[in-house]
Amino acid sequence: MEGGGARGFLPPFAHFATQAIHAGQEPEQWRSGAVVPPISLSTTFKQQAPGQHAGYEYSRSGNPTRDCLEKAVAALDGAKYCLAYASGLAATLNITHLLKAGDTIICMDDVYGGTNRYFRKVAMKMGLNVVFVDCTETECLEAAITPETKLVWVETPTNPTLKVIDIQACADVVHKHKDVLLVVDNTFMSAYFQRPLSLGADICTYSATKYMNGHSDVVMGLVSVNCDDLYERLKFLQNSLGAVPSPFDCYLCNRGLKTLKIRMKQHFRNGLAVARFLESDSRVEKVIFPGLPSHPQHELVKRQCTGCPGMVTFYIKGNVEHAATFLKNLKVFALAESLGGFESLAEHPAIMTHSSVPKEDREALGISDTLVRLSVGLEDEEDLLEDLDQALKAAFADHKA
């Protein structure tokens, strides 16, 4: 890290920490002058006359605490608007409701298991067509677009194999076609490391449950846009579908944003240390981390991101028993789903987060029985490396490394 940024990556987004702390948080909006936005739990708001209210009428339609969060996230995304939802999948649901039966979605082939499950087992049953394409190859994306295509869904880096997609190149392809939207799931990178809207995306979405909140105590989704019409359509759906977060969760996520910059910088440092350790270990077959020069799209990451999160994926040598023994013997890393919290987590995608993905698709994507996904937290580096080493020793107790 030099000059506040990571060597070779984009420079940090200007005023990020200041905006995270102050955007949408002005004490003047409260009669009390509260520096920390209060939690507005009221479900309804008094009107001065029928139809005359002070900006709020019913908490599903709008809430002061939620507004503070949405304004802050919009600022961090370099966006005009942000909308908060009850979960990341609730955000996905609302975006998908922009379409109608008969429309086609092109989805990156390697995505979060819940996204894959929703598109395959829910959206397709509602009359939408969904095709899965490797969007790291823009010619494949171009070939897949038809007159029925209305939305292209990508996440970068992908979950769990950490493929990186050139957002600008995808936007150039997508926007050659009228009325096709490009959605980028920015969950892994967070607003601190990547701004999809500035690279040509129409919609930036998150599971805020992960890095944006960062404390593993909130389930929430976020959507940021710049287009006025798109915002109004999504705002209508937010109210009509009703999948909104509670004011208390909005307060917690808003608080999490205040430390996003310092958390993400430490996630990067620890993630890089873990990736380097694993890459040098003879008990590990292969390490995938976009911050390593060995990652096939390392140069692309440096062109479109300010750094990398703490997500590290690796293939352990041996078989599923070796992977399971390794995971069961971790002590600092917790064996658990999810990611992006201050604590380090480890999981087995084929059995856990991506078990709903058809087996043949998992195998084609490289989600094998020896693939392990780590969410590297904020603990001391030496403790993380010692934990990985002792778990690897346990996994190969009957073999020489």
Side-chain angles (χ1 to χ4, degrees), residues 92-353:
T92 302
L93 169 72
N94 275 258
I95 293 168
T96 306
H97 268 71
L98 293 168
L99 311 183
K100 65 181 186 306
D103 290 343
T104 295
I105 298 171
I106 295 175
C107 181
M108 175 65 187
D109 57 359
D110 181 29
V111 290
Y112 165 54
T115 303
N116 185 297
R117 180 179 60 237
Y118 170 71
F119 283 152
R120 286 183 184 275
K121 298 186 177 181
V122 181
M124 292 179 75
K125 290 184 178 180
M126 301 298 289
L128 292 170
N129 301 310
V130 184
V131 293
F132 293 86
V133 174
D134 182 1
C135 295
T136 61
E137 304 290 341
T138 52
E139 58 270 22
C140 294
L141 171 59
E142 178 72 79
I145 296 176
T146 69
E148 289 72 40
T149 303
K150 298 301 177 185
L151 189 146
V152 174
W153 187 286
V154 301
E155 56 182 58
T156 180
T158 63
N159 182 3
T161 62
L162 303 181
K163 295 178 184 176
V164 178
I165 296 167
D166 189 329
I167 298 172
Q168 184 66 66
C170 282
D172 291 344
V173 169
V174 168
H175 293 147
K176 288 192 292 184
H177 304 267
K178 186 180 179 182
D179 298 328
V180 182
L181 296 172
L182 175 61
V183 180
V184 175
D185 184 335
N186 205 34
T187 297
F188 272 29
M189 277 296 181
S190 86
Y192 182 68
F193 283 138
Q194 185 168 263
R195 283 184 169 172
L197 298 180
S198 70
L199 297 168
D202 299 293
I203 298 174
C204 172
T205 187
Y206 300 93
S207 170
T209 310
K210 316 308 192 294
Y211 285 113
M212 294 293 274
N213 177 63
H215 291 75
S216 298
D217 55 7
V218 167
V219 174
M220 187 183 293
L222 297 166
V223 170
S224 293
V225 298
N226 280 322
C227 173
D228 296 345
D229 177 66
L230 194 51
Y231 167 73
E232 292 298 336
R233 292 164 65 196
L234 286 167
K235 178 69 175 173
F236 174 81
L237 289 168
Q238 182 195 46
N239 182 49
S240 299
L241 295 175
V244 295
S246 73
F248 188 73
D249 282 353
C250 290
Y251 161 79
L252 287 174
C253 189
N254 192 26
R255 185 176 67 166
L257 294 179
K258 309 311 176 216
T259 58
L260 183 59
K261 176 177 179 177
I262 57 176
R263 285 190 288 107
M264 296 312 294
K265 290 173 74 172
Q266 189 61 37
H267 281 300
F268 188 9
R269 289 190 185 96
N270 281 353
L272 184 59
V274 164
R276 286 170 171 166
F277 169 79
L278 292 172
E279 194 168 53
S280 67
D281 197 290
S282 61
R283 297 162 293 194
V284 173
E285 189 71 43
K286 180 184 178 182
V287 176
I288 307 172
F289 181 67
L292 287 176
S294 58
H295 191 284
Q297 293 139 328
H298 180 63
E299 294 303 316
L300 169 58
V301 175
K302 292 195 294 184
R303 289 200 308 272
Q304 73 179 17
C305 306
T306 66
C308 293
M311 300 306 300
V312 180
T313 299
F314 72 97
Y315 294 90
I316 192 170
K317 287 184 177 178
N319 53 40
V320 67
E321 285 76 19
H322 291 88
T325 303
F326 166 79
L327 289 166
K328 287 187 290 186
N329 279 275
L330 289 168
K331 294 178 172 60
V332 177
F333 284 82
L335 176 57
E337 297 190 4
S338 199
L339 59 105
F342 53 77
E343 75 290 349
S344 290
L345 303 175
E347 67 107 3
H348 190 281
I351 296 174
M352 297 168 67
T353 55

Side-chain angles (χ1 to χ4, degrees), residues 19-27 29-30 37 64-65 67-73 75 254 258:
Q19 290 177 326
I21 292 168
H22 294 291
Q25 319 296 299
E26 297 80 5
Q29 66 189 299
W30 318 112
T65 311
D67 278 0
C68 291
L69 169 64
E70 292 175 340
K71 288 174 183 176
V73 174
N254 192 26
K258 309 311 176 216

